[in-house]
Amino acid sequence: MGIELSKVDAIIARHGSEGRALIPLLLDVQREFYYLPEEAMERVADKTGRPAIQVYQVARFYKAFSLKPRGQHMVTVCLGTACHVRGGERLVDQAARVLKVRPGETTQDRQFTLETVNCLGCCALGPIMVVDGTYYGKMAASKVERRVGKSAAALLLSGRIGESFDAIVTGAADKGTWVRLILPPVEGRLERGFQGLDVGDRVRVKLISTDVERGFIDFARD
Ligand code: FES
């Protein structure tokens, strides 16, 4: 699948072509695509006048870079000794079942990557699972599904309170209505202004709150 090279060009224009700009430039490319696509690295080499081999070397040298497609959300489970003996494997199995991928793989929709690590340095809290940088200690396998799905959705929207979105009504009840945004495709509760709506209706909503811990997303009619 090709990438939008114009996005790479914009990042290059922002950073310029000086030697020290290469790492922040590649970090921004990765932030855009969630990994470093080959075409993007070729473009960086081409536009900044560097040998392609130099760009590849930097990308391979630093652990922060991934050359394999990664999801928009990272789910990391610790399998270090302390977490392993407290059930880390069960967390991995459950996350793999929920996401339908094996450790090291990314879901087909490029939403999630599941990975394991050897120790996160907080062994007393094990077993540990991390979703998009938020640590969940003493994690139980039974909580994985809720954390992974709903928390990731709430995280995705957490900085966008007050923004408006187009949505489709997915469930209507007396005390509230469920809506799914067109983009990003996440579901939440329409707390205000849901009267008269039916499943399948298109509606403009405003994000009023997110609760990453509990995975709640609330909207009001815009
Ligand atoms: S073993 Fe998991 S944090 Fe150390």
Side-chain angles (χ1 to χ4, degrees):
M1 193 173 60
I3 60 164
E4 277 184 63
L5 286 172
S6 58
K7 291 183 173 171
V8 182
D9 291 347
I11 294 169
I12 296 168
R14 235 171 28 236
H15 286 274
S17 54
E18 280 179 38
R20 64 173 185 276
L22 183 57
I23 293 174
L25 191 161
L26 291 179
L27 282 171
D28 274 358
V29 172
Q30 178 160 285
R31 219 163 275 135
E32 179 65 45
F33 300 102
Y34 307 106
Y35 77 112
L36 291 179
E38 231 177 286
E39 301 117 282
M41 290 195 287
E42 299 283 347
R43 188 71 156 203
V44 168
D46 194 33
K47 291 261 175 179
T48 63
R50 290 184 172 84
I53 189 81
Q54 189 190 343
V55 178
Y56 279 93
Q57 271 171 350
V58 169
R60 284 183 199 283
F61 183 78
Y62 291 99
K63 275 195 166 166
F65 294 122
S66 173
L67 303 186
K68 281 197 332 193
R70 285 207 293 191
Q72 206 164 332
H73 304 287
M74 290 300 298
V75 178
T76 306
V77 179
C78 181
L79 285 183
T81 309
C83 287
H84 181 79
V85 298
R86 290 177 183 154
E89 283 285 358
R90 283 199 295 278
L91 300 186
V92 177
D93 289 348
Q94 181 67 357
R97 191 188 64 75
V98 169
L99 297 174
K100 300 186 180 66
V101 292
R102 285 177 298 195
E105 291 182 347
T106 297
T107 55
Q108 272 188 349
D109 60 5
R110 296 268 179 94
Q111 284 286 313
F112 294 94
T113 295
L114 174 62
E115 65 173 17
T116 60
V117 291
N118 280 330
C119 181
L120 292 162
C122 41
C123 312
L125 299 175
I128 308 269
M129 185 173 86
V130 186
V131 181
D132 289 341
T134 300
Y135 283 55
Y136 298 104
K138 299 193 187 304
M139 186 68 189
S142 58
K143 292 184 189 161
V144 168
E145 186 158 6
R146 188 162 65 88
R147 287 276 180 259
V148 170
K150 292 187 175 173
S151 294
L155 268 169
L156 182 66
L157 291 180
S158 57
R160 304 177 69 176
I161 306 292
E163 269 189 50
S164 298
F165 301 86
D166 287 318
I168 301 282
V169 176
T170 53
D174 289 347
K175 292 186 178 166
T177 289
W178 290 91
V179 292
R180 174 173 286 273
L181 304 188
I182 307 295
L183 263 180
V186 299
E187 199 159 54
R189 195 176 163 92
L190 184 58
E191 288 283 325
R192 297 201 295 263
F194 51 82
Q195 293 83 358
L197 288 173
D198 244 325
V199 174
D201 285 351
R202 199 170 171 129
V203 64
R204 188 88 178 147
V205 297
K206 184 180 276 189
L207 179 64
I208 53 173
S209 68
T210 59
D211 182 335
V212 175
E213 186 63 18
R214 293 188 295 168
F216 290 170
I217 303 172
D218 292 329
F219 299 98
R221 186 96 171 250
D222 195 15

